[in-house]
Amino acid sequence: MNNVFAVAGIVIKEMYRRKDFYVLLILTVLITGVMGSVTFFNDDKIVRYLKELCLLLIWISSLVIAITTIARQMPSERENRTIFPLLAKPISRGELLIGKFLGCWLACGIALVCFYSFFAAITVSREHHFYFLNYFQAATLHWFMLGILIGMALLGSLVFAAPSSNATICFVVATAILLVGRHLNQVALSMRGGQQAFIYGLYYAIPHLEIFDVRDLIIHNWSIIAWPYYGAAVLYALIYGAFFVAGACLLFRRKALN
Amino acid sequence: MRSTKAPLLLLVLLFILCFSLAAWLDPRSLARRQQRSTDVLGVLMGDSRKMFANHFFVKADAYFHSGFYPTIFDNRESFQTPHMAGDAGAMKDENQGEETAFMGKPRDFIERFNRHFIPATHTHLDQGGAEGSKAGADLGESPAGGVREILPWLQLSAELDPNRIETYMVTSYWLRKRMGKVNEAEEFLRAGLRANPGDSALLFELGRLYHENRQNDERARNLWELGAHHLQQGKPPLADSDKFMLSNLSLSLARLEESHGNLAEAINWLEVFKPVSPYPSQVQTQIDDLRDRLGEPAPQAEHEAPAH
């Protein structure tokens, strides 16, 4: 386990040494700040449009940070040939991959803490009410969703040749699931025969990332999600994340390093 | 020796041609410049602005429902007319079916599970929205002021498509009726009138503002008469939306004149209202009542006028 945490620590250090996170955080703060300075019909209590914009920026930023960070991990180790001295130490290939996954996931968690703290500060300053439990649920569900995505991109980094192609495919898949994943069953029902079976099969097979997108509940101040359902969603994310990481470990065990 | 007259005449001809062309082009270019929006959005987006304007108008209605809104995959029968526009009387309500059940029953266990993570209850912001519907829950603060949240999207919609009249009507209704922001409503309507000079719907709404909020019946009468005049001057047959607006204007004018004791004027406006009303016989009864009060005999033929 120490080996895993040692690798994870390196990935976290890498994230805060790189500029990506800072640039995205500053952009989010700037755009939200500028939009927050706009007054509509002399009413300074309007806040939901600002919450929506801020959350959208947070989601985009987190997807960029998660996918680009994990997608370059293994290819850069191989390209720089640092993977050989790394594996020469008493660390297994599986531990290396789990360490990379854990490091990236924790790094995304740290980034989300910063982003959601800013979001909470903005909304509290406007609404004068802190919906702690709601924000906690939204942030943690977001984090667990990133876990699935990081697992998927880690597996992709062993399948696809270049980090750019892996990152692009992961972005496209994640966006497609977030936009239409919820409605695939309706699309399938409008079809017949083999097409219907295929689409419905796809609907059951894909990781439903959209479940973790609870922005509408946060924007419109809906009440908190019942804890059993929240727990079930977390379990769902853990299972899918573990599935992708296990798949990556299996693939990496037999993969030639050069 | 070659004549010098020919090139000189040619030059004069070219000069006249240039002058004529400039005189022909200048007013057209001026008109085009006046028609075109000079803002950055207009230049960048062109006519796609109208599509986005419609999107933001619908977005405002989604906010009105606190996010409980059908997507393109859902049954939209009960959301054909945005509810915020129907409530404001800005659009003819064409909704059918049960508005609370557009999702239907969950088709599988994933969908059933999914519904715990999205807004799944029908609420309206003016009735408390998501917070009002869950008394005693974790959230619960502002009661009816939440309707202000639709305003940014309506303003954005109006900026993208200044010729979309419904946006001004809906915004003005919610501003003056539910938020007490009469000055802001008037300013917004006047901006609409600058973009759509003489529009009868905007004149009607501005008249309502003067009548209901400022108690200035003189200005309300002038505005409504101007709106009705514009519609009556239009080429027949009138479109359904124009008929709807003419009925609003003429009925409002009739009520206004009646309340001021100008019964003859009220009868005149009811006569305008009758052909565009869905219940002409009832309008005729009202006309007869007013004639009785005025001491005028009712013309026999009018009783048998067919419904349009």
Side-chain angles (χ1 to χ4, degrees):
Chain A
M1 220 38 200
N2 283 343
N3 290 338
V4 170
F5 284 119
V7 175
I10 294 167
V11 178
I12 294 170
K13 276 178 194 159
E14 186 193 322
M15 190 201 77
Y16 69 70
R17 280 176 189 156
R18 287 179 69 91
K19 295 187 185 75
D20 310 21
F21 163 67
Y22 303 107
V23 170
L24 288 166
L25 181 64
I26 290 167
L27 269 178
T28 303
V29 171
L30 274 179
I31 295 172
T32 311
V34 169
M35 289 308 292
S37 66
V38 180
T39 312
F40 297 94
F41 301 105
N42 302 323
D43 195 327
D44 55 1
K45 288 182 185 165
I46 299 173
V47 66
R48 292 187 187 177
Y49 81 98
L50 199 61
K51 286 162 82 176
E52 173 152 6
L53 177 75
C54 188
L55 282 174
L56 177 70
L57 291 170
I58 290 173
W59 268 75
I60 294 171
S61 303
S62 67
L63 289 181
V64 170
I65 291 170
I67 293 175
T68 54
T69 306
I70 195 69
R72 66 171 171 253
Q73 289 299 322
M74 296 311 291
S76 71
E77 293 280 9
R78 277 156 62 182
E79 203 174 292
N80 300 331
R81 301 197 164 269
T82 48
I83 197 162
F84 297 108
L86 196 59
L87 287 176
K89 288 173 183 168
I91 180 171
S92 68
R93 289 186 175 199
E95 282 175 331
L96 176 67
L97 275 185
I98 293 169
K100 293 281 185 191
F101 169 82
L102 194 67
C104 194
W105 193 35
L106 289 173
C108 286
I110 295 166
L112 282 184
V113 168
C114 298
F115 278 114
Y116 274 90
S117 300
F118 169 68
F119 173 74
I122 284 284
T123 51
V124 168
S125 70
R126 287 282 186 112
E127 287 184 325
H128 307 296
H129 196 281
F130 184 32
Y131 301 114
F132 175 74
L133 286 178
N134 304 68
Y135 296 171
F136 170 79
Q137 283 190 337
T140 47
L141 285 175
H142 189 167
W143 187 45
F144 279 98
M145 186 280 297
L146 289 180
I148 301 177
L149 212 54
I150 290 167
M152 193 195 294
L154 183 66
L155 181 62
S157 70
L158 301 173
V159 175
F160 301 110
S164 56
S165 57
N166 179 30
T168 309
I169 289 167
C170 286
F171 273 123
V172 170
V173 169
T175 312
I177 293 175
L178 286 169
L179 289 178
V180 294
R182 178 175 288 147
H183 309 288
L184 272 181
N185 57 344
Q186 283 166 277
V187 175
L189 287 174
S190 65
M191 295 173 171
R192 284 183 182 182
Q195 276 185 327
Q196 188 184 58
F198 174 74
I199 299 288
Y200 233 119
L202 198 66
Y203 172 74
Y204 282 117
I206 56 168
H208 283 271
L209 304 178
E210 78 280 357
I211 289 175
F212 304 89
D213 181 4
V214 293
R215 282 178 295 160
D216 272 345
L217 299 182
I218 294 293
I219 292 164
H220 300 289
N221 296 342
W222 286 90
S223 53
I224 58 166
I225 302 157
W227 290 104
Y229 295 110
Y230 169 83
V234 168
L235 193 66
Y236 178 83
L238 287 174
I239 290 168
Y240 255 107
F243 170 77
F244 283 124
V245 174
C249 287
L250 276 175
L251 201 68
F252 191 50
R253 215 167 57 174
R254 293 175 186 181
K255 198 170 175 72
L257 293 176
N258 47 1
Chain B
M1 192 179 161
R2 284 178 65 187
S3 165
T4 55
K5 271 187 183 175
L8 198 67
L9 283 172
L10 203 65
L11 269 176
V12 171
L13 180 69
L14 280 173
F15 176 75
I16 291 168
L17 269 176
C18 287
F19 185 81
S20 309
L21 190 65
W24 185 76
L25 279 175
D26 187 55
R28 280 157 186 80
S29 149
L30 193 69
R32 276 177 71 88
R33 263 180 291 170
Q34 280 172 348
Q35 271 180 0
R36 269 189 189 174
S37 167
T38 50
D39 64 332
V40 183
L41 278 177
V43 174
L44 284 176
M45 298 170 74
D47 279 349
S48 68
R49 286 183 310 158
K50 290 189 177 177
M51 197 180 71
F52 284 103
N54 185 51
H55 171 77
F56 289 127
F57 190 74
V58 174
K59 179 107 184 151
D61 200 40
Y63 265 50
F64 188 63
H65 290 91
S66 297
F68 177 77
Y69 212 70
T71 62
I72 52 166
F73 298 100
D74 295 311
N75 179 4
R76 296 179 68 93
E77 271 190 347
S78 55
F79 282 82
Q80 284 172 337
T81 307
H83 294 182
M84 60 168 190
D87 288 1
M91 288 169 88
K92 200 175 170 185
D93 200 335
E94 291 174 352
N95 295 329
Q96 293 168 346
E98 184 54 56
E99 58 192 16
T100 56
F102 69 80
M103 285 178 171
K105 283 186 179 173
R107 293 162 191 86
D108 45 65
F109 72 94
I110 294 177
E111 194 176 333
R112 189 176 297 114
F113 182 60
N114 225 326
R115 287 194 187 175
H116 296 283
F117 299 86
I118 53 170
T121 315
H122 183 259
T123 59
H124 281 181
L125 270 185
D126 61 327
Q127 293 155 2
E131 296 159 272
S133 66
K134 306 257 176 168
D138 179 47
L139 303 169
E141 202 187 27
S142 67
V147 78
R148 66 169 66 89
E149 301 293 348
I150 67 173
L151 296 176
W153 303 111
L154 291 173
Q155 181 154 15
L156 193 53
S157 176
E159 278 175 21
L160 287 169
D161 185 2
N163 304 119
R164 194 188 165 96
I165 305 300
E166 296 89 5
T167 313
Y168 299 103
M169 302 278 285
V170 172
T171 312
S172 163
Y173 173 82
W174 291 108
L175 276 172
R176 67 183 183 83
K177 286 283 245 192
R178 301 300 180 97
M179 296 175 65
K181 288 182 174 284
V182 181
N183 290 339
E184 283 80 0
E186 184 179 354
E187 201 178 312
F188 197 61
L189 282 173
R190 290 202 179 277
L193 273 171
R194 278 194 293 277
N196 308 276
D199 186 87
S200 52
L202 291 175
L203 289 169
F204 172 65
E205 183 60 24
L206 197 57
R208 276 171 77 180
L209 185 145
Y210 275 105
H211 175 61
E212 293 170 14
N213 300 99
R214 300 214 193 282
Q215 280 75 44
N216 188 343
D217 286 354
E218 273 305 307
R219 289 192 86 164
R221 179 189 288 120
N222 290 341
L223 288 161
W224 285 340
E225 281 181 355
L226 184 63
H229 179 71
H230 276 298
L231 285 175
Q232 286 171 319
Q233 294 293 308
K235 280 183 186 171
L238 290 176
D240 280 350
S241 58
D242 287 343
K243 279 183 187 169
F244 175 65
M245 199 40 66
L246 185 59
S247 67
N248 280 338
L249 284 161
S250 52
L251 187 62
S252 300
L253 277 162
R255 297 280 174 261
L256 184 73
E257 298 297 359
E258 190 183 347
S259 68
H260 284 261
N262 305 328
L263 298 186
E265 282 296 312
I267 290 168
N268 285 343
W269 284 116
L270 283 176
E271 292 285 3
V272 176
F273 175 55
K274 197 171 77 169
V276 287
S277 164
Y279 308 105
S281 56
Q282 289 179 15
V283 179
Q284 184 57 49
T285 314
Q286 290 179 37
I287 293 171
D288 292 343
D289 286 347
L290 287 178
R291 283 210 168 108
D292 284 346
R293 281 164 62 188
L294 199 62
E296 258 184 33
Q300 199 62 37
E302 284 185 12
H303 286 282
E304 287 142 25
H308 290 278

